[in-house]
Amino acid sequence: KFVIPNESYNEAITIFSPIIDSVVKFGNLYDSIPNTVTVVVNGYADGTGIGQGSALEKMLLGYLNTSSAPKEELNRAISELRAKQITMLLTEKVLLTKWKVFKNPQNISWNFFGYGQGETHPTKSITDYIANDPRRRIVLIYWIVLPD
């Protein structure tokens, strides 16, 4: 639901590596200038509910530190956990393996933010979303590099 399965972990690293690769490329072009990299990870959920009494609902309620929550709040929580899972992958796996490729890594500051967008639609260009739409159970990542 939000945790990357062990058998898919290496594939996830391969899929998300180009994000850090593009920052490496940019950072190495301007390696003498101190820069701040900001990476924003937005997680989304579809509009279906979480099974009442299910292990997932219990886990999400624990995460929210409450005994009950509407489906919208549960979906926001699961989308936030999706964002955090990818943020962790980017910081703990991808960035650490790419760190040695930076020419001047001490000139780069990093900010990672993971946000749960819940049931909002990931993109306005898709107009035929349905409640149980797998195109809504995604993570979108944006990054920017700005000189300090």
Side-chain angles (χ1 to χ4, degrees):
K1 304 299 182 192
F2 65 89
V3 175
I4 301 169
N6 288 337
E7 63 274 7
S8 301
Y9 212 77
N10 287 334
E11 181 182 4
I13 290 170
T14 300
I15 289 168
F16 291 108
S17 285
I19 294 163
I20 303 301
D21 291 340
S22 60
V23 175
V24 168
K25 184 177 178 181
F26 185 87
N28 286 344
L29 283 174
Y30 303 100
D31 64 310
S32 63
I33 301 169
N35 292 294
T36 298
V37 178
T38 301
V39 180
V40 177
V41 181
N42 287 317
Y44 294 86
D46 63 24
T48 59
I50 307 295
Q52 196 169 29
S54 68
L56 179 58
E57 182 194 44
K58 290 175 185 173
M59 192 280 311
L60 292 172
L61 291 172
Y63 177 74
L64 293 169
N65 197 26
T66 187
S67 59
S68 66
K71 80 172 184 72
E72 293 81 9
E73 188 63 19
L74 293 171
N75 279 335
R76 189 206 52 78
I78 198 167
S79 68
E80 185 173 292
L81 289 168
R82 284 183 179 135
K84 287 182 176 186
Q85 182 80 163
I86 299 303
T87 300
M88 184 183 69
L89 176 88
L90 287 170
T91 57
E92 296 179 9
K93 298 295 180 185
V94 180
L95 182 58
L96 285 180
T97 61
K98 306 281 182 174
W99 193 252
K100 61 186 171 273
V101 184
F102 284 101
K103 289 182 185 176
N104 209 351
Q106 68 275 9
N107 271 351
I108 301 175
S109 300
W110 292 86
N111 296 308
F112 285 86
F113 300 98
Y115 298 106
Q117 301 299 330
E119 297 178 20
T120 60
H121 293 168
T123 178
K124 304 283 187 248
S125 63
I126 299 174
T127 59
D128 63 343
Y129 284 119
I130 58 172
N132 187 17
D133 197 324
R135 297 174 296 171
R136 292 175 60 184
R137 296 184 297 262
I138 65 168
V139 173
L140 296 178
I141 302 171
Y142 305 92
W143 64 266
I144 188 169
V145 180
L146 295 172
D148 290 342

